[in-house]
């Protein structure tokens, strides 16, 4: 019997531990990079002052991180209102991701809503505005996440 075979279990265990540590370090680095991307989205000087004033109550960095938003994701945002989270989501998913700002015709008819969302789409090329009826809605591609915030009353009110 080869004398080195007695070390095989120890070598296998050491290799498994080493691979585990590499995985943990990779996860940690990816997590910190994501946190930095979300923090940069919240700190974006292009965000309106009215949005920044809401940050203390809405806790956008924590909310976006908790939802698991990552670069490259496709997000369908139902009832984005005036785009408080739309902007943040667009920055968080980055240029390889996409945010579909999905509104109904009734929502689009509210003063300033469609103009505001179209202005956001012009400023952030990864935002696409879609006017749909929720009951028959489809997106041009599979979404990784559907998002809505403080809108449940809007669904009831049409």
């Amino acid at each position: 019997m080869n004398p080195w075979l007695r070390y095989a279990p120890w070598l296998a265990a050491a290799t498994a531990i080493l691979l585990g540590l590499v995985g943990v370090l990779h996860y940690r680095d990816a997590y910190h990079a994501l946190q930095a991307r979300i923090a940069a989205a919240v700190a974006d000087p292009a965000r309106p002052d009215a949005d920044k004033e809401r940050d203390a109550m809405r806790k956008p960095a924590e909310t976006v991180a908790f939802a698991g938003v990552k670069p490259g994701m496709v997000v369908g945002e139902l009832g984005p209102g005036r785009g408080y989270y739309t902007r943040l989501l667009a920055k968080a998913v980055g240029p390889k991701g996409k945010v579909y700002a999905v509104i109904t015709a009734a929502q689009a008819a509210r003063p300033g809503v469609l103009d505001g969302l179209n202005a956001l789409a012009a400023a952030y090329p990864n935002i696409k505005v879609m006017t749909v009826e929720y009951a028959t809605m489809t997106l041009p591609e599979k979404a990784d996440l559907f998002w809505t915030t403080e809108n449940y009353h809007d669904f009831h009110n049409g």
Side-chain angles (χ1 to χ4, degrees):
M1 180 162 120
N2 187 333
W4 289 100
L5 287 177
R6 67 181 176 184
Y7 298 111
W10 292 104
L11 289 172
T15 301
I17 290 169
L18 183 60
L19 290 174
L21 286 173
V22 168
V24 166
L25 293 175
H26 174 73
Y27 175 80
R28 183 202 64 191
D29 292 346
Y31 174 80
H32 288 301
L34 179 60
Q35 293 300 100
R37 178 184 282 278
I38 293 170
V42 173
D44 183 358
R47 290 182 66 221
D49 289 338
D51 283 7
K52 293 174 188 175
E53 291 168 8
R54 294 181 179 109
D55 288 351
M57 278 187 3
R58 290 189 174 186
K59 304 202 180 311
E62 295 89 339
T63 304
V64 172
F66 177 77
V69 177
K70 294 179 185 63
M73 289 180 88
V74 174
V75 178
E77 184 184 16
L78 304 178
R82 298 196 187 276
Y84 175 90
Y85 274 106
T86 313
R87 239 180 228 97
L88 298 170
L89 292 167
K91 286 279 192 170
V93 301
K96 293 184 179 176
K98 201 172 293 172
V99 177
Y100 288 99
V102 182
I103 58 175
T104 64
Q107 292 165 336
R110 293 179 182 162
V113 170
L114 195 53
D115 293 336
L117 290 174
N118 285 332
L120 275 178
Y124 298 83
N126 61 346
I127 295 174
K128 308 296 178 207
V129 180
M130 294 183 60
T131 303
V132 301
E133 292 307 321
Y134 289 143
T136 57
M137 174 186 69
T138 60
L139 295 181
E141 61 189 300
K142 180 183 172 201
D144 299 300
L145 175 73
F146 274 87
W147 180 283
T148 192
T149 309
E150 300 179 12
N151 288 323
Y152 301 112
H153 60 280
D154 291 320
F155 300 137
H156 172 71
N157 295 333

